[in-house]
Amino acid sequence: MEVTGLALVALAGVAGGAMNALAGGGTFATLPALLAVGAPANIANATSNVALLPGAATSAWAFRDELGPVGGVDHRLLAGITFAGGLVGSALLVVTPGATFDVIVPWLVLYAFVVLAFGRGASAWLAARVTIGARTLVVAQVLLGIYGGYFGGGVGLMTTATYGLLASVTPRAMFAPRTLMLAVANAAAALVFVASGMVDWRYCVPMLVGAVVGGWGGAIVGRRLPERVVRIGTLAVTGVTAAVFFWRAYG
């Protein structure tokens, strides 16, 4: 069973790394796998975050030549804001009791699902009616950083929706800044989680190796895969994960 569990988390790491490179939502592959092998929800979340960090960094490196300002805001400023927010969010998770986190998680996953399903339509509707400035984008990035540090699940999806809504960035142009922000939020949270002893290294290491492979492969595939295929696949995984977490918490 131990070997089976290690293989499961390694494969989940490959899937999660690839998902983060393509559209975000890699946590929805890794977190259920860690729960399946018996990790408590808060420990599983911290372990997943650390395991996905190298994969996210690999993807960000692969897209480095496409980085530039987002909505008129320098990507380095947005990265700094994300790092600070990630520190705050991860510190909040450290002080959240495991039982409380079990109840909160399903709603966070559901929120990510709704953003993915309806965020594009809302973005188009709002962009046609109002003009939103750089200050609003900066405030939104602070909130994304905090959320990314606290949970991380769906933060890539939320970043996609936010950039489309506030900066009118096309889906393809989001690949580079989104993967960078995801890596930065993961890095900030990893510092806190490792220092707090919340990482189960027994499962983190094989998942981390898988995530590096998936992150690099996902970045390569992401340059060629049709956007619709990526969106539908991510939406399906997120929806199933939301249902599982609601059943686990309230069933």
Side-chain angles (χ1 to χ4, degrees), residues 170-188:
T170 63
R172 179 61 187 84
M174 292 180 196
F175 273 28
R178 188 194 63 235
T179 52
L180 174 63
M181 301 311 155
L182 182 65
V184 169
N186 277 14

Side-chain angles (χ1 to χ4, degrees), residues 222-233:
R223 298 177 185 270
R224 303 175 177 84
L225 202 62
E227 179 194 343
R228 180 178 176 81
V229 173
V230 174
R231 184 173 182 274
I232 291 176

Side-chain angles (χ1 to χ4, degrees), residues 42-184:
N42 55 345
I43 299 300
N45 185 58
T47 301
S48 170
N49 181 289
V50 174
L52 289 174
L53 172 58
T58 300
S59 297
W61 179 258
F63 285 122
R64 67 191 182 282
D65 57 337
E66 299 181 21
L67 286 170
V70 178
V73 181
D74 190 277
H75 68 277
R76 289 165 292 192
L77 174 59
L78 292 175
I81 292 170
T82 302
F83 187 83
L87 291 176
V88 173
S90 54
L92 290 175
L93 178 65
V94 171
V95 299
T96 301
T100 302
F101 190 71
D102 281 341
V103 176
I104 294 174
V105 165
W107 297 100
L108 296 177
V109 178
L110 179 61
Y111 174 62
F113 177 81
V114 171
V115 168
L116 176 61
F118 304 107
R120 180 181 300 177
S123 172
W125 183 89
L126 189 59
R129 291 163 174 79
V130 297
T131 300
I132 301 175
R135 291 183 181 179
T136 304
L137 179 60
V138 167
V139 172
Q141 195 67 54
V142 171
L143 298 177
L144 286 169
I146 294 173
Y147 176 86
Y150 184 79
F151 178 50
V155 68
L157 310 176
M158 294 174 191
T159 301
T160 295
T162 300
Y163 288 176
L165 183 66
L166 302 183
S168 299
V169 181
T170 63
R172 179 61 187 84
M174 292 180 196
F175 273 28
R178 188 194 63 235
T179 52
L180 174 63
M181 301 311 155
L182 182 65
V184 169

